[in-house]
Amino acid sequence: MEKCSPSLDTIKMQVYFDMNYTSRREFLEDIHRVEESRLSPVSREITDTRVKTREELDALYRKIITYIQLHSSMGSPTDVTAVKEATAALQSVFPQTELGAFMVLLKRDKEQQLNELTMIVTGIRLFNKASKKGGEETDLHELMPAILNEALPVTSKSIENRLSASQTLVWKYTTVLEKLTDPDSPSGECDTPVVLLKQALYNVKQHDVFLKMLLADACLCAKHVEILQTALSSQMKLLKETVQSKTAVPTAKVFPLFKSLSKLWSGLQDEAQLLNIFNNIVHNLQPFVASQANIFSETYLDGLLEASEVKTDEQRITESSGERIVPAEMNTQEWLLPETTASVNELSLQYDGVCGYTLVNRDGLLLPGNPHIGVLIHEEKLYVFSSKEAALKFASSPGEFIAEVAEKAKHSPELIQLLKLHQQFSCVSPYLEMQPGKGLLVKPITKCESGTQTDIHPVETNIAKSYEWNEWELRRKAIKLANLLSKVTQSVQTDLSHMRRENITQTWLPKDAASQSKRDGESNVPKPQTYLAGLRGQRDGLVVKTNLTRSVDE
């Protein structure tokens, strides 16, 4: 939460750069991944469409044209002129009547054909653009992607301007601190904030290192653009010689040339995207050097310099180039001399080429080492120094000075990244070297001595377990195997083996229950009795029916 702290801003700058800068290959992979994710909805809509009517076929053909325009970045899908050019080029190689054959393909085959059509149509449009105006050749600059024409001249110039300003600040801060930390100079300027000046020096020095890396990448992009432009020009000439004024050219001969043009065009677009990424990183690094500019203005620095000469790194190296290490003076150490070492300026040096003795002896001052004085080899690592005296004193006890540098880095953590001291701090690793799923702070690897004992001449055992020397035993086994062919395996179950699986069932015991019903009731009814008179004795007698039923109450 500290405000206006150059030390904290340096650490923030290092974290930002580590998390946003990577190798050229990974940058290109990210660009292609973003491009693929941007086009995947349109591609999926084309490959998954099921058309049934004429209107749906027309809509699908327009979607294919839109996909080609988005993929090639040659004009917007809303630009009528660009749409007409893309439609005419597509109809020449893929007329609308072939949509039926396209629809019956598998999804993977559809995607492959879609990419091939995109490359061919892009090549045709580039060829038409170069051959317009009655066959006159168009300037190669007009064929470049618009984004590349904007980024190429601006990015390198912008980085160079910022780098020049940053280097000037580094040289001024170095001269001021060299003057203030000189033990022979009078200590009359006790009010000068030396600690803040050192933090500001580390801040602008780190900014200078990052700008140099980005400038090298931008220059590499410019070289790749030149190579691609040359290849594009030669490919365009070959295509014109192949086509010339012919009315018909075999597709097997001309389509590969169109695809080559499209690949070169895509390469130029990738370079333009890279330049934009580098330009954005440079722009986003600028706020991290604002604190030192607010604390120490140019007028204040000029006042501290007074009449002191501001020396560049090249001037310092030139002044000390006359000094040479004589191995006989320090025969206990191994040295690399410029007379006996090829490409001495390209060696991988410790502390990123900074003099370790000056860093310790002058309380954190960063002076560039001069490899022409002599390069010290200590524990398979290379060290350079700003003067012969510094080299001899460091070589007298290198272990102590290396430990002192580590102590300086503990008090100023930004030096770990600036001087590349990750090997001395094994628990800290740069973001680019992190393993997936692990943090920046890792436990150091613990090592121990171990040994194993093995036989000097181990002999392989070639014992065949199935070998039989007795032919009668072989006969017995053969008969046994032959008898097995006529046998049948049977199995039975018993009460003990039946359902051996353990089963558990939970039941509820019956509970007593009672219910109340209505009371019993009864009723009596009269018993009916009937008497018939005159049934016997008289043939034609009258039968009389008499009711003898008695009441219940009687």
Side-chain angles (χ1 to χ4, degrees), residues 220-231:
L220 183 60
C221 284
K223 291 181 180 179
H224 279 276
V225 168
E226 292 179 3
I227 295 172
L228 291 172
Q229 286 177 338
T230 304

Side-chain angles (χ1 to χ4, degrees), residues 161-307:
N161 293 337
R162 293 178 187 267
L163 179 60
S164 177
S166 180
Q167 286 179 334
T168 303
L169 281 176
V170 170
W171 298 332
K172 285 185 177 181
Y173 280 119
T174 302
T175 304
V176 169
L177 284 171
E178 189 178 19
K179 173 185 175 183
L180 294 176
T181 58
D182 187 3
D184 298 331
S185 63
S187 57
E189 302 184 26
C190 56
D191 297 335
T192 306
V194 179
V195 176
L196 279 178
L197 283 170
K198 284 192 299 183
Q199 293 180 3
L201 171 62
Y202 300 157
N203 183 262
V204 294
K205 181 69 174 178
Q206 186 65 82
H207 188 234
D208 174 72
V209 171
F210 288 157
L211 289 179
K212 286 179 180 177
M213 295 171 62
L214 293 171
L215 181 60
D217 289 333
C219 293
L220 183 60
C221 284
K223 291 181 180 179
H224 279 276
V225 168
E226 292 179 3
I227 295 172
L228 291 172
Q229 286 177 338
T230 304
L232 183 65
S233 178
S234 60
Q235 199 72 21
M236 192 69 71
K237 291 179 181 178
L238 178 61
L239 187 58
K240 288 183 178 181
E241 293 174 359
T242 304
V243 177
Q244 292 179 353
S245 58
K246 298 178 182 177
T247 56
V249 183
T251 57
K253 191 175 182 180
V254 74
F255 278 5
L257 298 178
F258 287 140
K259 291 181 180 179
S260 299
L261 282 181
S262 177
K263 290 179 181 178
L264 294 173
W265 172 264
S266 299
L268 290 171
Q269 286 182 317
D270 292 342
E271 300 301 328
Q273 294 285 351
L274 278 175
L275 288 173
N276 273 339
I277 291 174
F278 297 148
N279 197 20
N280 290 335
I281 294 177
V282 170
H283 178 73
N284 293 332
L285 286 178
Q286 197 62 30
F288 297 115
V289 295
S291 59
Q292 60 84 24
N294 295 332
I295 297 174
F296 302 110
S297 62
E298 291 189 11
T299 306
Y300 181 79
L301 281 179
D302 293 339
L304 292 178
L305 287 170
E306 295 178 348

Side-chain angles (χ1 to χ4, degrees), residues 32-150:
H32 296 160
R33 193 181 303 113
V34 171
E35 183 72 13
E36 185 178 352
S37 64
R38 184 174 67 91
L39 294 174
S40 60
V42 184
S43 174
R44 195 181 307 114
E45 191 174 355
I46 294 173
T47 55
D48 295 347
T49 301
R50 296 290 181 268
V51 296
K52 296 181 180 179
T53 62
R54 183 68 183 178
E55 291 76 12
E56 292 177 348
L57 277 175
D58 295 339
L60 177 61
Y61 200 75
R62 288 193 296 270
K63 289 178 183 177
I64 294 176
I65 296 173
T66 302
Y67 176 85
I68 292 173
Q69 285 187 283
L70 291 174
H71 194 283
S72 63
S73 300
M74 293 185 66
S76 171
T78 58
D79 186 0
V80 179
T81 305
V83 171
K84 289 182 179 180
E85 292 178 0
T87 305
L90 180 61
Q91 287 177 346
S92 64
V93 295
F94 185 75
Q96 196 167 351
T97 55
E98 295 187 11
L99 276 177
F102 177 79
M103 293 304 300
V104 299
L105 296 175
L106 297 175
K107 182 174 181 178
R108 182 178 58 186
D109 297 333
K110 288 180 181 179
E111 293 175 350
Q112 183 179 357
Q113 185 172 357
L114 197 59
N115 291 331
E116 289 184 359
L117 287 175
T118 301
M119 296 174 68
I120 294 172
V121 170
T122 303
I124 292 175
R125 292 185 64 188
L126 288 171
F127 177 74
N128 292 339
K129 188 176 180 179
S131 304
K132 64 181 181 180
K133 297 180 181 179
E136 297 179 3
E137 290 191 3
T138 308
D139 185 12
L140 193 61
H141 183 75
E142 298 181 10
L143 292 178
M144 295 300 101
I147 187 175
L148 182 61
N149 290 331
E150 297 173 0

